[in-house]
Short mmCIF file of all heavy atoms in Angstrom, two decimals:
data_model
loop_
_atom_site.label_atom_id
_atom_site.label_comp_id
_atom_site.label_asym_id
_atom_site.label_seq_id
_atom_site.Cartn_x
_atom_site.Cartn_y
_atom_site.Cartn_z
N MET Q 25 34.45 -187.92 57.31
CA MET Q 25 33.39 -188.86 57.08
C MET Q 25 32.06 -188.14 57.31
O MET Q 25 31.94 -187.01 56.94
CB MET Q 25 33.62 -190.08 57.95
CG MET Q 25 34.87 -190.84 57.49
SD MET Q 25 35.31 -192.22 58.53
CE MET Q 25 37.07 -192.04 58.53
N GLY Q 26 31.07 -188.69 57.91
CA GLY Q 26 29.80 -188.02 58.09
C GLY Q 26 29.68 -187.39 59.46
O GLY Q 26 30.61 -187.37 60.23
N GLU Q 28 27.39 -188.46 61.63
CA GLU Q 28 27.09 -189.56 62.54
C GLU Q 28 28.40 -190.24 62.92
O GLU Q 28 29.29 -190.41 62.08
CB GLU Q 28 26.17 -190.58 61.85
CG GLU Q 28 24.80 -190.04 61.50
CD GLU Q 28 23.96 -189.76 62.72
OE1 GLU Q 28 23.94 -190.59 63.64
OE2 GLU Q 28 23.35 -188.68 62.77
N PRO Q 29 28.52 -190.68 64.18
CA PRO Q 29 29.75 -191.40 64.54
C PRO Q 29 29.81 -192.75 63.84
O PRO Q 29 28.78 -193.37 63.55
CB PRO Q 29 29.63 -191.59 66.05
CG PRO Q 29 28.18 -191.43 66.37
CD PRO Q 29 27.60 -190.55 65.29
N ASN Q 30 31.02 -193.18 63.53
CA ASN Q 30 31.21 -194.51 62.94
C ASN Q 30 30.76 -195.57 63.92
O ASN Q 30 31.00 -195.46 65.12
CB ASN Q 30 32.67 -194.73 62.58
CG ASN Q 30 33.10 -193.89 61.42
OD1 ASN Q 30 33.84 -192.93 61.59
ND2 ASN Q 30 32.64 -194.21 60.23
N THR Q 31 30.11 -196.61 63.40
CA THR Q 31 29.62 -197.69 64.25
C THR Q 31 30.58 -198.87 64.20
O THR Q 31 31.02 -199.29 63.13
CB THR Q 31 28.22 -198.14 63.81
OG1 THR Q 31 28.27 -198.50 62.43
CG2 THR Q 31 27.21 -197.03 64.02
N ILE Q 32 30.89 -199.39 65.38
CA ILE Q 32 31.82 -200.50 65.52
C ILE Q 32 31.18 -201.58 66.38
O ILE Q 32 30.65 -201.29 67.45
CB ILE Q 32 33.16 -200.05 66.15
CG1 ILE Q 32 33.84 -198.99 65.28
CG2 ILE Q 32 34.07 -201.25 66.39
CD1 ILE Q 32 35.10 -198.39 65.91
N LEU Q 33 31.23 -202.81 65.89
CA LEU Q 33 30.80 -203.97 66.69
C LEU Q 33 32.06 -204.67 67.16
O LEU Q 33 32.92 -205.04 66.35
CB LEU Q 33 29.94 -204.92 65.86
CG LEU Q 33 29.54 -206.23 66.55
CD1 LEU Q 33 28.71 -205.97 67.81
CD2 LEU Q 33 28.78 -207.13 65.59
N LEU Q 48 38.67 -197.31 74.82
CA LEU Q 48 39.67 -196.68 73.94
C LEU Q 48 39.00 -196.13 72.68
O LEU Q 48 39.25 -194.99 72.28
CB LEU Q 48 40.75 -197.70 73.58
CG LEU Q 48 41.80 -197.24 72.57
CD1 LEU Q 48 42.69 -196.16 73.18
CD2 LEU Q 48 42.63 -198.42 72.09
N LEU Q 49 38.15 -196.92 72.05
CA LEU Q 49 37.49 -196.51 70.81
C LEU Q 49 36.49 -195.37 71.05
O LEU Q 49 36.36 -194.48 70.21
CB LEU Q 49 36.81 -197.70 70.16
CG LEU Q 49 37.76 -198.81 69.68
CD1 LEU Q 49 36.98 -200.07 69.32
CD2 LEU Q 49 38.61 -198.34 68.53
N ARG Q 50 35.82 -195.40 72.17
CA ARG Q 50 34.85 -194.34 72.47
C ARG Q 50 35.53 -193.00 72.72
O ARG Q 50 34.94 -191.96 72.46
CB ARG Q 50 33.99 -194.75 73.67
CG ARG Q 50 32.99 -195.83 73.31
CD ARG Q 50 32.15 -196.28 74.49
NE ARG Q 50 31.25 -197.35 74.09
CZ ARG Q 50 31.03 -198.46 74.77
NH1 ARG Q 50 31.64 -198.65 75.95
NH2 ARG Q 50 30.20 -199.38 74.32
N LYS Q 52 37.68 -191.83 70.94
CA LYS Q 52 37.82 -191.26 69.59
C LYS Q 52 36.47 -190.90 68.98
O LYS Q 52 36.39 -190.50 67.83
CB LYS Q 52 38.55 -192.26 68.68
CG LYS Q 52 39.96 -192.59 69.15
CD LYS Q 52 40.89 -191.43 69.06
CE LYS Q 52 41.36 -191.25 67.65
NZ LYS Q 52 42.29 -190.15 67.48
N GLY Q 53 35.38 -191.08 69.76
CA GLY Q 53 34.06 -190.68 69.29
C GLY Q 53 33.30 -191.75 68.55
O GLY Q 53 32.26 -191.48 67.96
N TYR Q 54 33.80 -192.98 68.55
CA TYR Q 54 33.11 -194.06 67.85
C TYR Q 54 31.93 -194.58 68.66
O TYR Q 54 31.96 -194.59 69.89
CB TYR Q 54 34.07 -195.22 67.55
CG TYR Q 54 35.24 -194.83 66.69
CD1 TYR Q 54 36.54 -195.14 67.06
CD2 TYR Q 54 35.05 -194.14 65.49
CE1 TYR Q 54 37.62 -194.79 66.27
CE2 TYR Q 54 36.12 -193.78 64.69
CZ TYR Q 54 37.40 -194.11 65.09
OH TYR Q 54 38.46 -193.76 64.31
N ASP Q 55 30.89 -195.02 67.96
CA ASP Q 55 29.72 -195.66 68.57
C ASP Q 55 30.03 -197.16 68.63
O ASP Q 55 29.98 -197.85 67.61
CB ASP Q 55 28.48 -195.37 67.71
CG ASP Q 55 27.23 -196.07 68.20
OD1 ASP Q 55 27.25 -196.68 69.30
OD2 ASP Q 55 26.22 -196.02 67.49
N VAL Q 56 30.35 -197.66 69.82
CA VAL Q 56 30.82 -199.04 69.98
C VAL Q 56 29.78 -199.89 70.68
O VAL Q 56 29.27 -199.53 71.73
CB VAL Q 56 32.14 -199.08 70.80
CG1 VAL Q 56 32.65 -200.50 70.94
CG2 VAL Q 56 33.20 -198.18 70.18
N THR Q 73 23.42 -202.11 61.08
CA THR Q 73 24.56 -201.99 60.18
C THR Q 73 25.76 -201.39 60.93
O THR Q 73 25.61 -200.44 61.69
CB THR Q 73 24.20 -201.08 58.99
OG1 THR Q 73 23.07 -201.64 58.34
CG2 THR Q 73 25.34 -200.98 58.01
N PHE Q 74 26.93 -201.96 60.66
CA PHE Q 74 28.16 -201.47 61.27
C PHE Q 74 29.16 -201.09 60.19
O PHE Q 74 29.20 -201.72 59.13
CB PHE Q 74 28.78 -202.55 62.18
CG PHE Q 74 27.94 -202.85 63.38
CD1 PHE Q 74 27.03 -203.90 63.37
CD2 PHE Q 74 28.03 -202.07 64.52
CE1 PHE Q 74 26.24 -204.17 64.47
CE2 PHE Q 74 27.23 -202.33 65.63
CZ PHE Q 74 26.33 -203.39 65.59
N ASP Q 75 29.96 -200.08 60.48
CA ASP Q 75 31.03 -199.69 59.57
C ASP Q 75 32.24 -200.61 59.72
O ASP Q 75 32.96 -200.87 58.76
CB ASP Q 75 31.48 -198.25 59.86
CG ASP Q 75 30.34 -197.25 59.69
OD1 ASP Q 75 29.70 -197.27 58.61
OD2 ASP Q 75 30.08 -196.48 60.63
N LEU Q 76 32.44 -201.08 60.96
CA LEU Q 76 33.62 -201.88 61.28
C LEU Q 76 33.24 -202.93 62.31
O LEU Q 76 32.48 -202.65 63.23
CB LEU Q 76 34.72 -200.97 61.84
CG LEU Q 76 36.02 -201.62 62.28
CD1 LEU Q 76 36.79 -202.19 61.10
CD2 LEU Q 76 36.90 -200.61 63.03
N ILE Q 77 33.79 -204.13 62.14
CA ILE Q 77 33.61 -205.20 63.10
C ILE Q 77 35.00 -205.64 63.55
O ILE Q 77 35.87 -205.90 62.72
CB ILE Q 77 32.85 -206.39 62.49
CG1 ILE Q 77 31.45 -205.95 62.06
CG2 ILE Q 77 32.78 -207.55 63.49
CD1 ILE Q 77 30.68 -206.99 61.26
N ILE Q 78 35.20 -205.68 64.85
CA ILE Q 78 36.46 -206.15 65.42
C ILE Q 78 36.14 -207.42 66.20
O ILE Q 78 35.28 -207.42 67.07
CB ILE Q 78 37.10 -205.10 66.35
CG1 ILE Q 78 37.36 -203.80 65.60
CG2 ILE Q 78 38.39 -205.65 66.97
CD1 ILE Q 78 37.85 -202.66 66.49
N ALA Q 101 29.57 -204.60 53.35
CA ALA Q 101 30.28 -203.32 53.32
C ALA Q 101 31.13 -203.07 54.57
O ALA Q 101 32.00 -202.21 54.56
CB ALA Q 101 29.27 -202.18 53.16
N ALA Q 102 30.89 -203.82 55.62
CA ALA Q 102 31.64 -203.63 56.87
C ALA Q 102 33.07 -204.12 56.70
O ALA Q 102 33.33 -205.14 56.06
CB ALA Q 102 30.97 -204.37 58.02
N ARG Q 103 33.99 -203.39 57.25
CA ARG Q 103 35.39 -203.82 57.30
C ARG Q 103 35.53 -204.68 58.55
O ARG Q 103 34.86 -204.45 59.55
CB ARG Q 103 36.32 -202.62 57.39
CG ARG Q 103 36.12 -201.58 56.28
CD ARG Q 103 36.45 -202.08 54.93
NE ARG Q 103 37.89 -202.32 54.80
CZ ARG Q 103 38.47 -202.80 53.72
NH1 ARG Q 103 37.76 -203.11 52.66
NH2 ARG Q 103 39.76 -202.99 53.68
N ILE Q 104 36.40 -205.69 58.50
CA ILE Q 104 36.57 -206.60 59.63
C ILE Q 104 38.03 -206.70 60.03
O ILE Q 104 38.90 -206.97 59.19
CB ILE Q 104 36.00 -208.00 59.32
CG1 ILE Q 104 34.51 -207.90 59.01
CG2 ILE Q 104 36.26 -208.96 60.50
CD1 ILE Q 104 33.83 -209.22 58.69
N ILE Q 105 38.27 -206.46 61.30
CA ILE Q 105 39.60 -206.59 61.89
C ILE Q 105 39.57 -207.81 62.82
O ILE Q 105 38.68 -207.93 63.66
CB ILE Q 105 40.00 -205.34 62.70
CG1 ILE Q 105 40.08 -204.11 61.79
CG2 ILE Q 105 41.32 -205.56 63.44
CD1 ILE Q 105 40.31 -202.81 62.53
N ASP Q 126 39.76 -208.07 56.71
CA ASP Q 126 40.41 -206.95 56.03
C ASP Q 126 41.75 -206.59 56.65
O ASP Q 126 42.62 -206.05 55.98
CB ASP Q 126 39.49 -205.73 56.04
CG ASP Q 126 38.21 -206.00 55.27
OD1 ASP Q 126 38.30 -206.25 54.06
OD2 ASP Q 126 37.13 -205.98 55.89
N GLN Q 127 41.90 -206.88 57.95
CA GLN Q 127 43.13 -206.52 58.66
C GLN Q 127 43.27 -207.43 59.87
O GLN Q 127 42.27 -207.81 60.48
CB GLN Q 127 43.07 -205.06 59.11
CG GLN Q 127 44.31 -204.54 59.78
CD GLN Q 127 45.42 -204.20 58.81
OE1 GLN Q 127 45.16 -203.64 57.77
NE2 GLN Q 127 46.64 -204.55 59.14
N LEU Q 138 46.74 -199.71 67.07
CA LEU Q 138 45.40 -200.22 66.86
C LEU Q 138 44.46 -199.11 66.38
O LEU Q 138 43.69 -199.30 65.44
CB LEU Q 138 44.84 -200.86 68.12
CG LEU Q 138 43.43 -201.41 68.01
CD1 LEU Q 138 43.34 -202.54 67.02
CD2 LEU Q 138 42.92 -201.86 69.37
N LEU Q 139 44.54 -197.95 67.00
CA LEU Q 139 43.69 -196.83 66.58
C LEU Q 139 44.00 -196.41 65.15
O LEU Q 139 43.09 -196.05 64.40
CB LEU Q 139 43.86 -195.64 67.53
CG LEU Q 139 43.21 -195.81 68.90
CD1 LEU Q 139 43.59 -194.65 69.81
CD2 LEU Q 139 41.70 -195.95 68.78
N LYS Q 140 45.26 -196.48 64.75
CA LYS Q 140 45.64 -196.16 63.38
C LYS Q 140 44.99 -197.15 62.41
O LYS Q 140 44.44 -196.75 61.38
CB LYS Q 140 47.15 -196.17 63.22
CG LYS Q 140 47.63 -195.79 61.85
CD LYS Q 140 49.14 -195.78 61.75
CE LYS Q 140 49.55 -195.46 60.33
NZ LYS Q 140 50.97 -195.63 60.11
N VAL Q 141 45.02 -198.44 62.74
CA VAL Q 141 44.40 -199.46 61.90
C VAL Q 141 42.89 -199.24 61.82
O VAL Q 141 42.29 -199.32 60.74
CB VAL Q 141 44.72 -200.88 62.44
CG1 VAL Q 141 43.86 -201.95 61.77
CG2 VAL Q 141 46.19 -201.20 62.25
N VAL Q 142 42.27 -198.94 62.95
CA VAL Q 142 40.82 -198.67 62.97
C VAL Q 142 40.50 -197.48 62.07
O VAL Q 142 39.58 -197.55 61.25
CB VAL Q 142 40.32 -198.44 64.41
CG1 VAL Q 142 38.92 -197.85 64.43
CG2 VAL Q 142 40.37 -199.74 65.20
N ASP Q 143 41.25 -196.40 62.22
CA ASP Q 143 41.02 -195.21 61.38
C ASP Q 143 41.18 -195.54 59.89
O ASP Q 143 40.37 -195.10 59.07
CB ASP Q 143 42.00 -194.09 61.75
CG ASP Q 143 41.67 -193.44 63.09
OD1 ASP Q 143 40.53 -193.59 63.58
OD2 ASP Q 143 42.57 -192.78 63.64
N GLU Q 144 42.21 -196.30 59.54
CA GLU Q 144 42.44 -196.67 58.14
C GLU Q 144 41.28 -197.51 57.60
O GLU Q 144 40.81 -197.28 56.49
CB GLU Q 144 43.75 -197.45 58.00
CG GLU Q 144 44.98 -196.60 58.18
CD GLU Q 144 46.26 -197.42 58.30
OE1 GLU Q 144 46.19 -198.69 58.35
OE2 GLU Q 144 47.34 -196.81 58.37
N GLN Q 145 40.83 -198.48 58.38
CA GLN Q 145 39.74 -199.34 57.94
C GLN Q 145 38.43 -198.57 57.81
O GLN Q 145 37.65 -198.80 56.89
CB GLN Q 145 39.58 -200.55 58.86
CG GLN Q 145 40.73 -201.54 58.77
CD GLN Q 145 40.92 -202.08 57.37
OE1 GLN Q 145 39.97 -202.44 56.67
NE2 GLN Q 145 42.17 -202.16 56.92
N LEU Q 146 38.19 -197.65 58.72
CA LEU Q 146 36.97 -196.83 58.63
C LEU Q 146 37.03 -195.90 57.42
O LEU Q 146 36.01 -195.67 56.76
CB LEU Q 146 36.75 -196.04 59.92
CG LEU Q 146 36.26 -196.89 61.09
CD1 LEU Q 146 36.32 -196.09 62.38
CD2 LEU Q 146 34.86 -197.42 60.83
N GLN Q 147 38.20 -195.39 57.11
CA GLN Q 147 38.35 -194.56 55.92
C GLN Q 147 38.06 -195.39 54.66
O GLN Q 147 37.37 -194.94 53.76
CB GLN Q 147 39.76 -193.95 55.85
CG GLN Q 147 39.98 -193.05 54.65
CD GLN Q 147 39.08 -191.83 54.62
OE1 GLN Q 147 38.75 -191.27 55.65
NE2 GLN Q 147 38.65 -191.43 53.43
N LEU Q 148 38.58 -196.61 54.62
CA LEU Q 148 38.31 -197.49 53.49
C LEU Q 148 36.82 -197.82 53.39
O LEU Q 148 36.25 -197.87 52.30
CB LEU Q 148 39.12 -198.78 53.61
CG LEU Q 148 40.62 -198.65 53.34
CD1 LEU Q 148 41.35 -199.92 53.74
CD2 LEU Q 148 40.87 -198.31 51.88
N SER Q 149 36.18 -198.03 54.54
CA SER Q 149 34.74 -198.30 54.57
C SER Q 149 33.97 -197.12 53.99
O SER Q 149 33.06 -197.29 53.18
CB SER Q 149 34.29 -198.58 56.01
OG SER Q 149 32.89 -198.71 56.07
N PHE Q 150 34.37 -195.92 54.38
CA PHE Q 150 33.72 -194.70 53.89
C PHE Q 150 33.91 -194.57 52.38
O PHE Q 150 32.97 -194.30 51.63
CB PHE Q 150 34.30 -193.48 54.60
CG PHE Q 150 33.82 -192.18 54.04
CD1 PHE Q 150 32.54 -191.72 54.32
CD2 PHE Q 150 34.65 -191.42 53.23
CE1 PHE Q 150 32.10 -190.51 53.79
CE2 PHE Q 150 34.21 -190.21 52.70
CZ PHE Q 150 32.93 -189.76 52.98
N GLU Q 151 35.14 -194.80 51.91
CA GLU Q 151 35.43 -194.68 50.47
C GLU Q 151 34.65 -195.72 49.66
O GLU Q 151 34.11 -195.40 48.60
CB GLU Q 151 36.93 -194.82 50.23
CG GLU Q 151 37.72 -193.62 50.73
CD GLU Q 151 39.22 -193.84 50.71
OE1 GLU Q 151 39.68 -194.89 50.20
OE2 GLU Q 151 39.94 -192.96 51.21
N MET Q 152 34.59 -196.94 50.16
CA MET Q 152 33.86 -197.99 49.46
C MET Q 152 32.37 -197.68 49.42
O MET Q 152 31.71 -197.86 48.40
CB MET Q 152 34.12 -199.35 50.10
CG MET Q 152 35.53 -199.86 49.86
SD MET Q 152 35.90 -201.39 50.71
CE MET Q 152 34.72 -202.49 49.96
N SER Q 153 31.85 -197.19 50.53
CA SER Q 153 30.43 -196.82 50.59
C SER Q 153 30.14 -195.70 49.59
O SER Q 153 29.14 -195.73 48.87
CB SER Q 153 30.06 -196.39 52.01
OG SER Q 153 28.75 -195.92 52.06
N TRP Q 154 31.01 -194.72 49.52
CA TRP Q 154 30.83 -193.61 48.60
C TRP Q 154 30.87 -194.11 47.16
O TRP Q 154 30.06 -193.71 46.32
CB TRP Q 154 31.92 -192.56 48.84
CG TRP Q 154 31.74 -191.35 47.99
CD1 TRP Q 154 30.94 -190.27 48.26
CD2 TRP Q 154 32.34 -191.09 46.72
NE1 TRP Q 154 31.03 -189.36 47.24
CE2 TRP Q 154 31.88 -189.83 46.28
CE3 TRP Q 154 33.23 -191.81 45.93
CZ2 TRP Q 154 32.28 -189.29 45.07
CZ3 TRP Q 154 33.63 -191.25 44.72
CH2 TRP Q 154 33.15 -190.00 44.31
#
Side-chain angles (χ1 to χ4, degrees):
M25 293 175 220
E28 296 291 316
N30 290 108
T31 55
I32 299 174
L33 175 61
L48 174 69
L49 295 168
R50 287 178 182 135
K52 299 293 281 181
Y54 300 129
D55 176 7
V56 181
T73 302
F74 294 94
D75 300 308
L76 178 67
I77 298 171
I78 301 174
R103 306 295 292 178
I104 299 180
I105 297 173
D126 297 298
Q127 183 78 42
L138 179 64
L139 287 173
K140 182 179 177 188
V141 168
V142 167
D143 288 342
E144 288 169 355
Q145 291 302 316
L146 287 169
Q147 181 62 35
L148 287 169
S149 174
F150 173 76
E151 290 170 6
M152 289 175 62
S153 174
W154 184 85

